[in-house]
Amino acid sequence: MDQILKDRLGYKIGTIRTEGSKLVLYDALNYRLGYFDGKYTYDNHGYKIGEDNLLTTLL
């Protein structure tokens, strides 16, 4: 199930999708920004951002 992220005016700024066991963040133009594997958050290039789900910080 997709989770749509909106700004304070109601415009779509991103989507979090479940792909297998990962949560993957896409921006409003469907560009992949990063993923959460259940323990760590990674950016689009595979660099570890930190522990826990920090996907919204990539927006």
Side-chain angles (χ1 to χ4, degrees), residues 25-51:
L25 175 67
Y26 293 90
D27 67 4
L29 300 175
N30 285 326
Y31 180 73
R32 182 178 163 159
L33 299 177
Y35 64 93
F36 174 64
D37 67 1
K39 186 170 182 178
Y40 298 107
T41 301
Y42 298 88
D43 69 3
N44 190 36
H45 302 288
Y47 294 109
K48 189 187 316 181
I49 302 299
E51 286 189 43

